[in-house]
Every structure is written in C-alpha cells, then in structure tokens.
Amino acid sequence: MSRIRSRDTKPELIVRKMLHGMGYGYRLHVRDLPGTPDIVFRGRKKVIFVHGCFWHGHEGCRFAAKPSTRDQFWRHKIEAAQRRDALACEALTRDGWKTLIVWECELSQDALRVRLISFLGTSSREAERSLQSDAYERL
Ligand SMILES: [Zn+2]
C-alpha cells in the first residue's frame, strides 16, 4: 500500500485527514462556488481542489494518460475535465478566491504539509510551528 493509486487511496481523504490533523476547519464540496471545490475555507477565502492525475490530465505526470492511450473517448473526457477545471479556477479568482490544486501524485506527507501551510497560513494550533520549521529545513 505504499504506492499511490487513484481509486483505492482516495487522495482527497488523505488531504482532508492531514488538514484536520493540522487543526484547520473547512467545508466540503461547496456547490454554490464555481467547480464545487473539494475543500473550502470560507474565512480565508481559499479553496483546494484535489485532482486525480489521470482524470484531470496532469501534464507530464506518470499517472496521467500515456501517449499510447489513443482512445478518443478518454481523451475527450480528460480534455473536458481540464477545461472545466480551468474555467472554475478563473471564476473563483475573479471572485477573489485563492485556489490550490493538489495532485494525487503530490501526496508525499512533508512536502504537502509545507504547501498547505504556506497556502493557508498557520492554523490555530501551536504545534504547527515546530512542524513547519522542521519541514522547511528539510527542503
Ligand atoms: Zn500527477
């Protein structure tokens, strides 16, 4: 179970669990926002999308569609998802929201923690500070 595979490890759950453990409060799948963002921080006016690399066509990623994938059906589906994602991000940005996209291939714990903290700002938990400085040192 060390390898990340989209279907069974549920990248979004991993991110949510991490955020929860770090002391952030959030709402899920807010439908009145463009693109129904996966994780929403209303107070901070920030949202996080957690994208599966295959379905959302992560460029240059080993989990994304390979060049040998000639199947037009999947290609169209993936391209449509990319267009939707881009439009949602544009609309959110226009309305003053900050967006972060976390790809399923980026779920390595320390690096993701640092990204989340720098995107969201520190949470209310004091424990964060030591974690943050540790993680930065390792980069
Ligand atoms: Zn990826």
Side-chain angles (χ1 to χ4, degrees):
M1 275 297 287
S2 62
R3 264 186 57 203
I4 293 164
R5 279 193 281 117
S6 55
R7 304 296 179 73
D8 22 4
T9 55
K10 301 218 173 64
E12 192 191 317
L13 285 183
I14 294 173
V15 177
R16 275 156 54 181
K17 229 173 152 176
M18 189 180 285
L19 287 165
H20 183 75
M22 290 158 79
Y24 292 107
Y26 50 82
R27 293 182 55 203
L28 300 174
H29 309 290
V30 176
R31 289 183 198 283
D32 62 356
L33 290 176
T36 314
D38 297 318
I39 305 170
V40 176
F41 306 84
R42 281 217 188 260
R44 298 170 196 260
K45 246 202 153 182
K46 290 174 181 178
V47 304
I48 295 176
F49 289 95
V50 185
H51 284 344
C53 296
F54 180 81
W55 295 105
H56 293 264
H58 192 195
E59 304 273 342
C61 171
R62 67 196 167 103
F63 296 111
K66 303 278 185 298
S68 62
T69 308
R70 295 240 185 82
D71 195 320
Q72 285 296 310
F73 177 74
W74 297 119
R75 249 170 221 263
H76 287 316
K77 272 191 114 61
I78 291 164
E79 279 165 18
Q82 286 177 317
R83 269 196 302 276
R84 269 199 311 276
D85 294 341
L87 286 175
C89 280
E90 273 171 39
L92 285 161
T93 304
R94 251 198 322 270
D95 292 348
W97 291 81
K98 296 245 186 307
T99 61
L100 178 74
I101 292 171
V102 175
W103 295 94
E104 64 173 309
C105 64
E106 300 173 331
L107 296 174
S108 107
Q109 305 278 307
D110 289 341
L112 180 58
R113 245 175 245 271
V114 172
R115 268 186 84 201
L116 293 174
I117 292 169
S118 64
F119 176 67
L120 294 169
T122 42
S123 74
S124 47
R125 287 214 190 141
E126 285 299 298
E128 221 69 320
R129 272 191 211 154
S130 57
L131 179 71
Q132 201 176 4
S133 54
D134 279 352
Y136 274 120
E137 272 166 27
R138 253 176 277 140
L139 286 181

